[in-house]
Amino acid sequence: MLEKDILKVLVTREEISQIAKDLGQQLSKDYKDKFPLVIGILKGCVPFMGELVTEMDIHLEMAFMDVSSYHGGIESSGDIKISMDLNISVKDRHVILTEDIVDTGRTLKVIIELLKYRGAKSIKVATLLDKPAGRVVELVP
């Protein structure tokens, strides 16, 4: 059973659902009539992003990127690799990046700079967890 492999639960399923609900309602207000592009950073974002977009009561579009800086380890190497890029343009779009856990923020910073270069109208980050070393607030004006 999976429960035997888990040492400690940091965030319960109920807490994740509540975070997704609260954030989804806020994003629905913030992006009303803006048709945002919600980009998931694979693969960890999928469960959180699924709950989040379910709670968003607006028209939106979804896309995914597979980006890594871990390369088999448990600490970020700082070397960012995009193994799957977007198949949709971000030009003049409001973008919401979804991530499960922000560690150092280096990977997000690279993605944000790339999306700015590609002409995104605005970029915000929605994350379930932000490790103490990661500060999304500093990355997004």
Side-chain angles (χ1 to χ4, degrees):
M1 297 295 284
L2 182 61
E3 291 82 19
K4 293 178 183 177
D5 295 331
I6 298 172
L7 185 61
K8 180 180 177 185
V9 175
L10 300 176
V11 183
T12 67
R13 184 176 301 222
E14 293 78 18
E15 290 171 320
I16 294 170
S17 293
Q18 189 62 51
I19 291 167
K21 182 177 182 174
D22 294 344
L23 192 51
Q25 289 174 354
Q26 183 61 51
L27 290 170
S28 294
K29 291 177 191 170
D30 294 349
Y31 289 90
K32 183 181 178 187
D33 301 323
K34 292 185 178 177
F35 190 58
L37 176 60
V38 181
I39 299 174
I41 308 302
L42 293 173
K43 301 188 180 51
C45 77
V46 173
F48 174 62
M49 183 176 166
E51 277 206 53
L52 179 65
V53 298
T54 300
E55 297 294 343
M56 294 173 68
D57 188 23
I58 56 172
H59 292 285
L60 58 85
E61 190 170 10
M62 294 188 302
F64 296 92
M65 292 180 79
D66 195 354
V67 181
S68 176
S69 64
Y70 288 85
H71 314 299
I74 58 170
E75 288 188 25
S76 176
S77 68
D79 180 27
I80 310 302
K81 299 228 187 299
I82 298 175
S83 53
M84 185 180 86
D85 206 345
L86 296 170
N87 61 359
I88 188 169
S89 174
V90 298
K91 185 166 177 52
D92 297 324
R93 296 291 304 268
H94 294 284
V95 173
I96 302 168
L97 288 173
T98 58
E99 180 72 286
D100 58 343
I101 301 171
V102 174
D103 192 349
T104 64
R106 285 185 287 214
T107 302
L108 275 177
K109 185 174 182 178
V110 170
I111 296 169
I112 289 167
E113 291 304 316
L114 176 64
L115 297 176
K116 284 180 184 178
Y117 174 78
R118 292 179 177 176
K121 188 177 243 179
S122 70
I123 305 166
K124 285 196 179 180
V125 176
T127 185
L128 176 62
L129 299 172
D130 180 13
K131 287 187 180 180
R135 291 289 162 234
V136 177
V137 173
E138 295 171 9
L139 299 174
V140 183

